[in-house]
Amino acid sequence: MASGQRHLRRGALEHEDAATLALGEEFVNSQCLYISEVRILLEAQQDSKETGNENRPTTSITTKTLDYVRTFSRFTNRDSVREIRQLLGKDDLAQFEVAQLANLCCEDAEEAKALIPR
């Protein structure tokens, strides 16, 4: 859903609209993760479980998410992700836009403009 409304506790409406980067109050000071970063985090969690450092059971959601990020992640190691984050962080872009650029890996500026709302 690209836009929606949510009731705040005081009764006022909060308008959410990804096209204008109004993603909701909880995203105001949040850093967006790249799909590749999620992959690194989930694989580290899985490695921790395999070595016995973590004993929480793996859920089907975690397994499906790991499968998804393995399929769609563009960068395979921390150094690549760090370099992309530094490179894209130089421009005056919102966190959401930076994450979309990193996740989509557009061929050119026109493709990025067509896919990412500004």
Side-chain angles (χ1 to χ4, degrees), residues 44-58:
Q45 182 182 37
Q46 185 180 40
D47 291 346
S48 193
K49 287 179 184 184
E50 290 172 0
T51 59
N53 296 337
E54 188 175 323
N55 58 1
R56 288 185 291 175
T58 302

Side-chain angles (χ1 to χ4, degrees), residues 7 10 17 21 26 28 31-32 35 44 47 55 68 71 75 81 85-87 89-90 94 97-99:
H7 287 282
R10 291 178 228 136
D17 186 0
L21 296 178
E26 61 269 15
V28 171
Q31 183 175 5
C32 296
I35 292 173
D47 291 346
N55 58 1
Y68 177 88
T71 301
F75 314 105
V81 172
R85 189 165 283 283
Q86 287 174 350
L87 181 68
K90 292 178 183 179
E97 294 168 320
V98 170

Side-chain angles (χ1 to χ4, degrees), residues 5-92:
Q5 293 181 345
R6 236 177 11 159
H7 287 282
L8 298 176
R9 291 187 180 186
R10 291 178 228 136
L13 286 178
E14 178 182 6
H15 296 279
E16 296 174 355
D17 186 0
T20 61
L21 296 178
L23 302 176
E25 184 179 314
E26 61 269 15
F27 291 102
V28 171
N29 294 316
S30 298
Q31 183 175 5
C32 296
L33 294 177
Y34 305 163
I35 292 173
S36 299
E37 291 173 315
V38 174
R39 177 184 179 171
I40 291 168
L41 291 171
L42 289 178
E43 287 179 344
Q45 182 182 37
Q46 185 180 40
D47 291 346
S48 193
K49 287 179 184 184
E50 290 172 0
T51 59
N53 296 337
E54 188 175 323
N55 58 1
R56 288 185 291 175
T58 302
T59 65
S60 65
I61 299 290
T62 304
T63 303
K64 289 176 184 178
T65 303
L66 188 53
D67 289 342
Y68 177 88
V69 296
R70 283 181 173 155
T71 301
F72 293 105
S73 64
R74 303 287 186 166
F75 314 105
T76 57
N77 63 52
R78 291 179 187 199
D79 293 332
S80 299
V81 172
R82 191 176 297 121
E83 190 174 329
I84 294 298
R85 189 165 283 283
Q86 287 174 350
L87 181 68
L88 293 175
K90 292 178 183 179
D91 294 325
D92 186 32

